[in-house]
Amino acid sequence: MNKFIFTQALGSGVWQLTIQREAALNALSIQLLEELKSKLEAIAKDESIRVLIVRGSGEKAFVAGADILEMQNMTRSEAARFSRLGHEVCLLLEQMPKVTIAAVHGFALGGGMELALACDFILGSEKAQFGLPEVSLGVIPGFGGTIRLQRVVGGAIAKQLVFSGERIKAVEARDLGLIRQVIPQEGFFDYVGAVALKIAKHSLGAVIAAKKLMNEFEESVGIHPKVDAEVHRFSSLFEGSDQREGMAAFSEKRPPRFKGLN
Ligand code: CAA
């Protein structure tokens, strides 16, 4: 029985997966990621599912990142396992023989933005906000976000966003090509359902052949060869003091006092 992940059939092969942990703005804990992974493995094998919509529950967030309070006291090897689990979830989304759509109606930050970037495309409402704020916590994006973001917006803009940890709103996300258009908040999920339905009516074989071909092209600057390097760099930061300070500062709701290089 899942505690955090719920699926619903919307008809004609369209399914919706909702991440439901509203009290923590749907933050990705280990348990949540494990549930998500096993649900995605089942969906990948389910021939009745053609298009999967991924969304967060509640008014405010798609997903506000990996669970900072849980990461706060992780050892280096625990952080490496956590990063690898996040990668496994993102690769499942990216590679499954279904169309995956991230429906972002609020915060998509850190691991949440990384999850959205691993979907085939993102639909964003006027309240969508994106960002990779990890450096403000003394770490780096650990679920493939640097590479996938760079692929979409280019190296210099991705670097500016990652180094500044800035949040961007829907209009800027559209201007950067992260989303195609800004969709009104009211009726957003109906719109998402209609987009999914339109795709589901086409030949799944043809759509997935196109997905595989486009993924192969993207793999030329892809995530696969970089997973080990990212897991290593992400987890090594858990040996320094800035990660502890950054995450303690978040939990104590105060600005961090970083020492500099780890
Ligand atoms: N982890 C754990 N708890 C989180 C969380 C997260 N990523 N994001 C929000 N929460 C919790 C808050 O602690 C708070 O809990 P309490 O009510 O118990 O205090 C609750 O969710 C509501 O959050 P806020 O009160 O902060 O809501 P807000 O509207 O004032 O701010 C926000 C919203 C700007 C999204 C803010 O919550 C925030 O900055 N969250 C963290 C975003 C972030 O840094 N994400 C990156 C995480 S690191 C990562 O993802 C690493 C990786 O790549 C693997």
Side-chain angles (χ1 to χ4, degrees):
M1 176 73 179
N2 280 348
K3 190 172 163 202
F4 299 118
I5 306 298
F6 297 88
T7 49
Q8 187 191 355
L10 301 185
S12 306
V14 177
W15 282 65
Q16 178 171 267
L17 180 153
T18 306
I19 298 172
Q20 195 164 317
R21 194 185 169 212
E22 279 176 47
L25 303 185
N26 305 322
L28 306 170
S29 62
I30 297 170
Q31 191 190 338
L32 190 157
L33 283 171
E34 277 169 352
E35 274 184 25
L36 183 54
K37 184 179 162 202
S38 68
K39 182 56 83 177
L40 290 175
E41 283 166 345
I43 289 171
K45 288 188 206 128
D46 186 335
E47 290 189 356
S48 71
I49 302 178
R50 303 162 78 86
V51 180
L52 180 70
I53 298 164
V54 180
R55 61 170 288 184
S57 125
E59 295 288 305
K60 278 171 80 172
F62 173 72
V63 168
D67 187 328
I68 299 166
L69 306 184
E70 199 175 67
M71 277 187 296
Q72 192 178 340
N73 295 314
M74 280 183 186
T75 62
R76 179 178 181 159
S77 60
E78 287 167 342
R81 274 201 298 280
F82 185 59
S83 169
R84 209 166 279 287
L85 176 61
H87 272 295
E88 285 164 2
V89 165
C90 288
L91 286 168
L92 272 165
L93 279 167
E94 194 167 69
Q95 293 171 353
M96 74 163 63
K98 322 273 173 201
V99 173
T100 54
I101 304 174
V104 176
H105 71 295
F107 296 114
L109 303 176
M113 179 166 179
E114 298 181 276
L115 202 66
L117 283 165
C119 291
D120 290 321
F121 58 88
I122 304 172
L123 295 176
S125 79
E126 58 200 355
K127 290 211 175 137
Q129 286 198 42
F130 300 89
L132 292 176
E134 283 87 346
V135 292
S136 70
L137 298 159
V139 293
I140 57 170
F143 300 164
T146 47
I147 297 145
R148 290 196 178 95
L149 179 63
Q150 195 159 188
R151 219 156 56 181
V152 181
V153 303
I157 290 170
K159 278 182 183 162
Q160 190 182 349
L161 291 174
V162 170
F163 299 171
S164 67
E166 260 173 77
R167 293 207 295 265
I168 58 168
K169 294 195 171 155
V171 169
E172 193 178 351
R174 180 199 59 202
D175 294 346
L176 292 176
L178 207 55
I179 55 175
R180 185 173 154 207
Q181 70 212 98
V182 179
I183 299 152
Q185 198 74 3
E186 207 185 318
F188 172 62
F189 288 106
D190 292 338
Y191 179 90
V192 174
V195 171
L197 193 60
K198 190 170 184 184
I199 294 170
K201 283 188 177 147
H202 297 314
S203 152
L204 185 64
V207 170
I208 296 309
K211 170 168 175 165
K212 286 190 174 146
L213 195 65
M214 290 158 105
N215 277 0
E216 277 161 21
F217 171 75
E218 290 199 326
E219 270 305 314
S220 59
V221 281
I223 188 87
H224 258 134
K226 311 270 183 356
V227 170
D228 287 343
E230 193 192 87
V231 168
H232 170 75
R233 287 189 192 281
F234 175 79
S235 59
S236 66
L237 291 165
F238 284 70
E239 284 189 330
S241 59
D242 278 356
Q243 171 269 328
R244 290 268 187 279
E245 167 58 15
M247 295 188 180
F250 176 81
S251 71
E252 291 158 22
K253 302 187 189 289
R254 61 166 174 83
R257 292 179 292 268
F258 290 129
K259 289 210 172 102
L261 288 174
N262 277 280

